Amino acid sequence: MLMDTRLIGYLNRATGHELGAIQQYLAQARLCELWGLTDFSRQFAEDSREEMGHLSDLMDALLRLGVTPQASHVPAVRLGRTLEQMLEIDRQVEYDAIRLYEEAVDYCARRRDTAHQALFDRILHEELEHLNTLDQLISRAKAA
Ligand SMILES: [Fe+2]
Ligand SMILES: [Fe+2]
C-alpha cells in the first residue's frame, strides 16, 4: 500500500502541536503553583494531561502506519505575566490546534479515510470544548 504522506504530515504536525501544548500547560501549572493559584494550577495540569491523551492517540495512529512519531516542530512555550494573559495565549494555542484539526478532517474526508477522519474529528471536538472552557475562565478572570 502506498504511504499517504500528507496524512503522515498532519499526524506529525499534530504531534508537534500536542507536545507543545503539554509543555505549555504544565509550565503554566507550575507557575500558578508558585503564584499560589492552586485551583488554576490544577486546571492547567489537567489540561496538560488531556493533551497527553491526544498525543498518545496520534502516536498510536502513526505506529499503526509503521511510522515513527516525530514532531517536525514544537511551538515555543509562552507563559504570560498575568493569569489573564496566560489564558489569552492559551486561547491562541487552542485556536491554532482547531485550524490544524479542521484541515486534517477535511483532507481525510476528501480521501474517504474514515478512520483517520474520526480520530482528527474527536480531537477537534475536545479542542473546541477546551476553547470554550478557556473563554469561561477568561470571563471569570476579568470579573475577579
Ligand atoms: Fe490537544
Ligand atoms: Fe487543548
Side-chain angles (χ1 to χ4, degrees):
M1 200 182 89
L2 226 78
M3 278 278 186
D4 184 343
T5 51
R6 263 193 82 182
L7 170 67
I8 292 164
Y10 280 122
L11 288 167
N12 274 330
R13 267 171 69 196
T15 294
H17 159 78
E18 297 298 342
L19 269 173
I22 292 164
Q23 182 170 233
Q24 169 83 11
Y25 299 138
L26 189 58
Q28 289 179 331
R30 302 321 301 156
L31 185 57
C32 279
E33 190 71 33
L34 284 178
W35 287 350
L37 300 172
T38 314
D39 282 1
F40 279 97
S41 177
R42 265 197 223 113
Q43 173 71 48
F44 284 127
E46 178 54 40
D47 293 341
S48 185
R49 277 191 291 275
E50 183 177 292
E51 310 300 4
M52 199 182 286
H54 296 163
L55 180 62
S56 303
D57 294 342
L58 293 162
M59 284 188 170
D60 287 350
L62 282 160
L63 291 168
R64 278 194 209 103
L65 292 168
V67 176
T68 302
Q70 185 62 64
S72 48
H73 168 74
V74 179
V77 171
R78 290 187 300 143
L79 289 174
R81 296 159 76 92
T82 63
L83 181 61
E84 214 180 307
Q85 268 182 20
M86 275 189 182
L87 296 167
E88 292 286 357
I89 291 166
D90 296 349
R91 204 180 181 286
Q92 189 59 54
V93 170
E94 291 302 312
Y95 191 74
D96 291 344
I98 287 162
R99 276 198 323 211
L100 171 62
Y101 286 120
E102 276 174 349
E103 212 185 298
V105 167
D106 258 24
Y107 173 72
C108 292
R110 272 185 281 130
R111 291 292 304 249
R112 297 184 204 290
D113 179 348
T114 49
H116 292 106
Q117 184 183 345
L119 168 67
F120 286 129
D121 197 53
R122 181 172 55 74
I123 302 179
L124 170 63
H125 280 88
E126 289 180 15
E127 307 300 16
L128 283 166
E129 256 179 52
H130 191 175
L131 185 65
N132 200 15
T133 307
L134 282 168
D135 283 340
Q136 287 169 14
L137 291 174
I138 288 168
S139 313
R140 241 176 65 193
K142 277 185 177 150

